[in-house]
Amino acid sequence: MAKTTTKSATKPAAKAATKPVAKAATKPAAKTSKASAKSATKAPAKPAAKASAKSARKAIAKSAKKSALTLSMLKPSVNNMSVRVFARAAGLDHSETDVWGHTRSPEYMARNPAHLTPMIEDKGLPRGVLWESCAIMQYLANKHGLEKLYPKAPAKRAMIDSAMFYLIGTLYPYVARATYPALNFPQYAGEVGHSDAHPDRKSEAQKAAAAAIAEPLEVFHSFFRNGKPFIGGKNPSIADIRLAATLEFLAVIDYALPQWAKEYMAAIEKKLGKAYAEPASDVRGYIAYVKSQAEA
């Protein structure tokens, strides 16, 4: 796994319970050794020196191909968590900037008029930036040939895409309506939670959304997993990362996850290790803080 550096624009009010993302233990790939560099600069007319110079040039070229990636994110968000987990699991050399409180600044909106996170900046993109967690993971998996996380075979890829689109189109809206009031996140315009409705009506709507989660959740279990450890088969895919991260929010309302879902999330965290655990700790820390405030 490549090195991750994290910058912080401003810290959220809920920082008390969150922990900063730890630096990944591994170093960026393709570092030229001092010995190789020294041999290359001397360049005596000996076969051994020529070989060293050639090796150095190859190492530099390999390093250049794997360009650093800039990720703007919000630590308490599961949408952002998805890309943070993916970048670590993929071993991508990247830096993170916490843009809490800055997504509507003129500087940010000049690059991202949708003022959304997560957002990546990459030279290969037509406009230089890309937002939407699923699109980001698809793009980076395609760019770096990460078939283990996003298979190239059309039928297998279609199932991964279908699972992600079903999640963002059906499951996540229910999760958002059920959890955002407790998370103190702004709710969507036009919905009961965003209206001037009586608190009792808002509470009823929140409970109805929580009750509706069970059906799409079972679809992931019976259809997309279909007896496999993960949607991706033996290994977690980008759809698994997106689903597991989404389910993290349900802890804020003490949602009773079915046993298979608990085991599934534990299996993903075990498989991905720190790549999952580090970003998850920020989400869990924020949830713990919110719950502690509610109980105070």
Side-chain angles (χ1 to χ4, degrees):
M1 191 187 306
K3 183 170 71 175
T4 304
T5 57
T6 307
K7 297 179 182 178
S8 181
T10 54
K11 296 181 181 178
K15 68 176 183 178
T18 57
K19 296 181 179 179
V21 178
K23 292 183 179 179
T26 53
K27 298 179 180 179
K31 254 194 175 179
T32 308
S33 67
K34 291 182 180 179
S36 296
K38 189 176 180 181
S39 299
T41 52
K42 285 184 178 180
K46 293 181 181 180
K50 288 182 179 179
S52 295
K54 188 176 181 180
S55 298
R57 286 195 296 272
K58 282 185 177 181
I60 293 169
K62 186 177 180 182
S63 179
K65 287 180 182 177
K66 195 173 183 180
S67 58
L69 187 72
T70 300
L71 170 62
S72 296
M73 54 80 192
L74 303 177
K75 292 181 179 180
S77 165
V78 296
N79 299 324
N80 289 260
M81 176 185 159
S82 300
V83 177
R84 297 178 71 200
V85 170
F86 167 83
R88 287 164 171 75
L92 299 180
D93 181 17
H94 71 289
S95 62
E96 295 180 345
T97 300
D98 187 344
V99 292
W100 185 281
H102 289 262
T103 57
R104 290 185 182 269
S105 68
E107 295 79 13
Y108 193 87
M109 291 190 69
R111 293 174 295 158
N112 180 344
H115 52 80
L116 295 174
T117 60
M119 178 186 77
I120 61 167
E121 297 175 61
D122 191 70
K123 292 179 181 179
L125 293 164
R127 300 300 299 273
V129 301
L130 180 68
W131 59 86
E132 294 295 346
S133 60
C134 294
I136 290 171
M137 292 190 290
Q138 289 170 316
Y139 166 71
L140 292 174
N142 286 332
K143 180 177 180 178
H144 296 284
L146 304 171
E147 291 190 60
K148 191 174 180 180
L149 290 165
Y150 191 41
K152 282 188 177 181
K156 290 182 178 180
R157 175 166 286 196
M159 293 301 287
I160 300 300
D161 290 340
S162 179
M164 290 196 300
F165 298 158
Y166 182 63
L167 188 152
I168 61 177
T170 301
L171 177 61
Y172 192 79
Y174 291 150
V175 171
R177 291 166 189 151
T179 63
Y180 278 21
L183 290 164
N184 298 319
F185 286 179
Q187 296 179 69
Y188 298 103
E191 296 189 350
V192 177
H194 187 268
S195 71
D196 294 328
H198 190 277
D200 289 347
R201 285 203 60 197
K202 291 183 179 182
S203 178
E204 288 173 9
Q206 183 181 4
K207 290 176 182 176
I213 290 170
E215 183 178 308
L217 195 56
E218 177 56 28
V219 171
F220 280 100
H221 176 50
S222 61
F223 182 80
F224 290 112
R225 285 183 69 214
N226 190 28
K228 305 185 299 295
F230 308 106
I231 297 169
K234 293 182 180 179
N235 297 294
S237 66
I238 58 176
D240 291 289
I241 291 173
R242 190 66 185 84
L243 175 58
T246 297
L247 299 183
E248 291 282 349
F249 263 174
L250 294 178
V252 78
I253 57 170
D254 295 320
Y255 184 87
L257 283 169
Q259 188 60 33
W260 74 262
K262 294 177 183 178
E263 293 171 357
Y264 168 76
M265 292 176 71
I268 289 178
E269 184 162 0
K270 182 178 180 181
K271 194 81 171 180
L272 299 181
K274 289 183 178 180
Y276 186 93
E278 290 174 353
S281 69
D282 288 320
V283 172
R284 293 167 184 170
Y286 181 75
I287 290 173
Y289 170 80
V290 168
K291 292 179 77 172
S292 69
Q293 292 298 103
E295 294 168 1

